[in-house]
Amino acid sequence: MNKVILIRYSEIHLKGNNRHYFLKLLRDNIKNALKKYNLSIEEIPSRYVIRNFDEKDVENVISDLKKVFGIFSISVADEVDSNVDTIIDFVKGISLEGSFKVHCKRADKKFPIKSLDFEAQLGAIILDNNKKAFVDVKNPDTLVNVDIRENGKSFIFYKFIYLAGGMPLGENRDGLLLLSGGIDSPVAGYMMAKRGLRQDILHFNSYPYTSPMAKDKVVELAKIIKPYIGCRYMYIVSMTQIQEQFHINCKEEYAITLLRRSMIKIAEILAEKYRYKTIITGESLGQVASQTIEGLTLTDNARKTTPILRPLIAFNKDEIISLAKQINTFETSILPYEDCCTVFLPKQPVIKPKLDIAINEEAKIDLPSFLQNAIQNMEIIQI
Ligand code: ATP
Ligand code: MG
């Protein structure tokens, strides 16, 4: 008898011809997430089986698996040969109290006893051996699962641990996540990673108006989300000169609109240079003045072709906070350092900005060369 971890995957079975590609991705991602443990991973039909781990590592292995997208659920199980007597012997050793039910799944149609009959037989054995146990098929305290697989092995377990599901993270870093130090953008990266989008990170600061500690905070956030989003590089671009130029030359109420448009313009230049296919932001409709439909439209209009994904667009703040807590970014996000969006903050930012006015304001300075200059001086760090 062996303790194993059974892994069931989520949407991959829908993938038809591409199934093998996604299964390989998932297996590679699982291997990568668990590389620090000395264990083995076997692929069997519809499952992965993790074996040969140290039992004291189980909780850590589970928590690392929670960061791998594409997994529907996992169970810690006992593995036995799919032989009637062997399974019966194992079930004789089960000790439990209270209500229970046996659930058999016979993926191996060559197994000689039908699921319902085997459930009754195993249930009777458990009743015989446990004087304080009784059967409740509707709402049992303990569900004894017997999963008889096609590979000649059966798995006996009591719990399903449900994970985030989604699609396995792709091989290429196709997304560029605009990561501020706030609560929303790390969650936005997580949400897109859940759909298989691997991302690198772009962060803007306004040093010396923003403190060097603000940068440390964002690096820390990047490290926390790395296991989810699979990032490798973080680009840090200074907005100081651009913001000063807007401040000196342009309408004060357009400061945030212009800043946000410049962020997107820089993101698109980097996307073209380093072959990112999409830009991700943590914007949410109506959350702040720059995130009205009109504000978002102007931000959208700042780019040429690169799509902007806004996975939090319809999320409430409390929903975002609860995800931030779940992925462990919340406590870091609320550390009190300035973001470049809070530098030169207008007293009354425009709520319904107009595109012609924004373009007119941008034309007051030599924006293309300031953008290029900011990119030439950017810092690239490995996460
Ligand atoms: P967050 O909590 O993610 O900071 P927010 O609600 O404070 O978001 P804004 O400050 O308007 O909203 O920013 C909207 C989005 O723009 C952010 O979610 C992020 O994707 C991007 N963004 C804002 N500031 C920065 C920055 N300093 N560096 C990189 N991206 C930024
Ligand atoms: Mg912010």
Side-chain angles (χ1 to χ4, degrees):
M1 182 190 77
N2 266 324
K3 280 273 179 227
V4 302
I5 299 175
L6 269 189
I7 298 180
R8 303 173 196 85
Y9 34 82
S10 47
E11 288 171 43
I12 297 174
H13 57 274
L14 304 174
K15 290 287 160 215
N17 289 342
N18 290 331
R19 202 165 172 265
H20 291 289
Y21 169 75
F22 286 105
L23 282 176
K24 181 177 175 330
L25 262 187
L26 179 58
R27 193 184 53 217
D28 290 349
N29 292 345
I30 292 172
K31 268 192 187 155
N32 189 41
L34 303 182
K35 63 175 181 257
K36 62 174 180 276
Y37 309 98
N38 195 11
L39 45 73
S40 64
I41 303 171
E42 191 198 346
E43 190 176 341
I44 63 170
S46 310
R47 308 266 187 276
Y48 292 99
V49 185
I50 300 186
R51 297 198 181 82
N52 303 322
F53 48 84
D54 201 329
E55 281 202 32
K56 71 172 177 12
D57 288 333
V58 170
E59 288 309 314
N60 291 331
V61 171
I62 292 174
S63 103
D64 288 333
L65 284 174
K66 286 184 178 166
K67 295 173 184 159
V68 179
F69 296 113
I71 300 178
F72 178 69
S73 68
I74 57 179
S75 297
V76 180
D78 288 292
E79 181 178 36
V80 297
D81 289 334
S82 293
N83 169 301
V84 174
D85 291 337
T86 312
I87 297 174
I88 287 177
D89 276 348
F90 180 88
V91 168
K92 280 181 181 162
I94 291 177
S95 108
L96 57 82
E97 284 183 10
S99 63
F100 77 97
K101 171 187 170 179
V102 179
H103 179 246
C104 280
K105 190 165 185 172
R106 198 173 56 121
D108 178 4
K109 299 297 175 211
K110 292 198 293 295
F111 189 79
I113 307 179
K114 290 210 165 124
S115 297
L116 282 179
D117 297 339
F118 205 34
E119 282 171 4
Q121 195 176 341
L122 297 177
I125 293 170
I126 294 174
L127 277 178
D128 268 356
N129 292 321
N130 295 276
K131 295 302 163 215
K132 291 186 179 161
F134 58 96
V135 172
D136 178 352
V137 291
K138 285 225 175 85
N139 194 16
D141 299 333
T142 309
L143 186 61
V144 181
N145 293 279
V146 181
D147 192 9
I148 304 167
R149 304 309 306 174
E150 297 93 328
N151 66 335
K153 298 287 179 189
S154 293
F155 301 93
I156 296 148
F157 58 90
Y158 308 95
K159 260 193 211 154
F160 290 85
I161 303 168
Y162 294 98
L163 307 197
M167 292 300 297
L169 210 55
E171 292 163 289
N172 302 321
R173 299 189 309 281
D174 284 338
L176 186 59
L177 171 65
L178 268 61
L179 186 69
S180 68
I183 296 169
D184 305 333
S185 42
V187 176
Y190 166 86
M191 293 296 293
M192 288 324 302
K194 186 153 74 76
R195 299 309 304 159
L197 186 68
R198 191 179 283 270
Q199 300 152 63
D200 276 333
I201 291 171
L202 170 58
H203 174 67
F204 299 101
N205 67 24
S206 296
Y207 184 77
Y209 301 105
T210 55
S211 98
M213 311 270 272
K215 173 176 143 189
D216 297 345
K217 169 181 167 179
V218 179
V219 172
E220 179 57 28
L221 281 174
K223 287 184 180 158
I224 300 173
I225 59 174
K226 179 182 165 123
Y228 297 105
I229 75 166
C231 54
R232 185 140 164 220
Y233 298 112
M234 174 149 108
Y235 308 96
I236 302 180
V237 175
S238 168
M239 280 296 190
T240 311
Q241 197 184 25
I242 294 170
Q243 286 187 271
E244 284 172 346
Q245 286 297 317
F246 287 148
H247 185 63
I248 297 164
N249 298 296
C250 306
K251 283 188 197 298
E252 191 199 65
E253 69 268 29
Y254 269 71
I256 290 190
T257 308
L258 298 176
L259 170 63
R260 300 206 50 74
R261 284 172 56 84
S262 288
M263 286 182 174
I264 294 298
K265 285 174 193 281
I266 288 174
E268 185 165 48
I269 295 170
L270 291 180
E272 284 169 353
K273 185 167 176 189
Y274 296 110
R275 296 175 193 276
Y276 297 107
K277 294 179 184 161
T278 179
I279 296 165
I280 299 97
T281 77
E283 289 158 313
S284 162
L285 184 62
Q287 199 189 77
V288 288
S290 62
Q291 294 173 24
T292 56
I293 288 286
E294 291 81 359
L296 293 170
T297 305
L298 258 74
T299 314
D300 249 3
N301 266 302
R303 74 194 161 107
K304 291 176 291 191
T305 52
T306 314
I308 303 175
L309 300 178
R310 300 179 166 98
L312 306 184
I313 198 70
F315 277 51
N316 303 330
K317 195 75 188 188
D318 55 342
E319 293 168 320
I320 300 172
I321 289 175
S322 120
L323 275 167
K325 287 183 176 164
Q326 190 186 312
I327 63 172
N328 209 22
T329 51
F330 183 72
E331 294 300 327
T332 306
S333 288
I334 58 174
L335 293 174
Y337 301 115
E338 298 255 282
D339 182 51
C340 62
C341 290
T342 52
V343 174
F344 302 123
L345 202 63
K347 273 181 233 72
Q348 284 217 299
V350 57
I351 296 194
K352 295 185 178 182
K354 302 260 181 316
L355 185 58
D356 55 343
I357 299 182
I359 290 173
N360 210 18
E361 293 303 306
E362 284 168 351
K364 290 181 179 169
I365 64 172
D366 183 6
L367 187 57
S369 59
F370 287 116
L371 298 176
Q372 284 303 338
N373 195 33
I375 289 173
Q376 263 157 26
N377 291 308
M378 80 181 166
E379 184 186 353
I380 305 182
I381 54 178
Q382 275 209 30
I383 299 298

